[in-house]
Amino acid sequence: MTRLTGRALRLTVFVGENDTWHHKPLYSEIVHRAHAAGLAGASVFRGVEGFGASSLIHTSRLLSLSEGLPVAVVIVDTEPRVRAFLPQLDELVTEGLVTLDDCEVIRYRYTSREDTPGETDAKGKRSL
């Protein structure tokens, strides 16, 4: 598991929800490549309204304009690890916006079920 605290770099990739890479959603490809690269984590956030370089507003409020809503993929890790991942984005993102921001990680923790106290049965199995 990646441990991360202190100074970090936040990578945000803004694309459209209908953007694809080899017939699969582009945001999904970015997340899977980030995972394969061993980055600390990635999350995808779907926007309810927005516009980009085309100046065309996309919104979830009107059915006729609800296609191609904005999607943001956010990745946070150390600066060297994020910068090493950027060449993959050059290959994937042909339209969209990629930003980098310095940030500070206050807490990044995962506690597995085995790490938390709980009840076990007679055979030592954990109860849900």
Side-chain angles (χ1 to χ4, degrees):
M1 174 181 83
T2 301
R3 300 214 183 270
L4 183 64
T5 56
R7 292 181 45 89
L9 199 61
R10 177 178 51 223
L11 166 66
T12 306
V13 183
F14 297 93
V15 294
E17 70 177 339
N18 293 334
D19 293 346
T20 60
W21 176 260
H22 295 267
H23 308 292
K24 76 185 262 191
L26 177 58
Y27 61 84
S28 180
E29 182 67 17
I30 294 169
V31 168
H32 283 87
R33 286 194 186 199
H35 184 260
L39 293 174
S43 297
V44 178
F45 300 94
R46 184 175 186 233
V48 295
E49 189 166 29
F51 71 94
S54 71
S55 293
L56 179 63
I57 293 180
H58 299 273
T59 178
S60 62
R61 292 182 290 133
L62 302 171
L63 185 59
S64 62
L65 299 175
S66 66
E67 294 183 8
L69 288 169
V71 173
V73 181
V74 180
I75 299 168
V76 177
D77 207 322
T78 63
E79 182 172 353
R81 293 170 63 83
V82 169
R83 290 199 181 276
F85 185 68
L86 292 178
Q88 293 202 50
L89 293 180
D90 287 339
E91 176 187 0
L92 295 172
V93 181
T94 57
E95 290 184 4
L97 174 67
V98 178
T99 64
L100 292 172
D101 302 289
D102 290 322
C103 64
E104 183 178 355
V105 175
I106 304 299
R107 177 176 295 186
Y108 177 69
R109 183 183 336 183
Y110 170 74
T111 305
S112 69
R113 290 181 85 38
E114 292 79 26
D115 294 337
T116 57
E119 296 180 17
T120 57
D121 65 12
K123 295 182 181 178
K125 293 187 178 182
R126 299 183 52 76
S127 62
L128 299 175

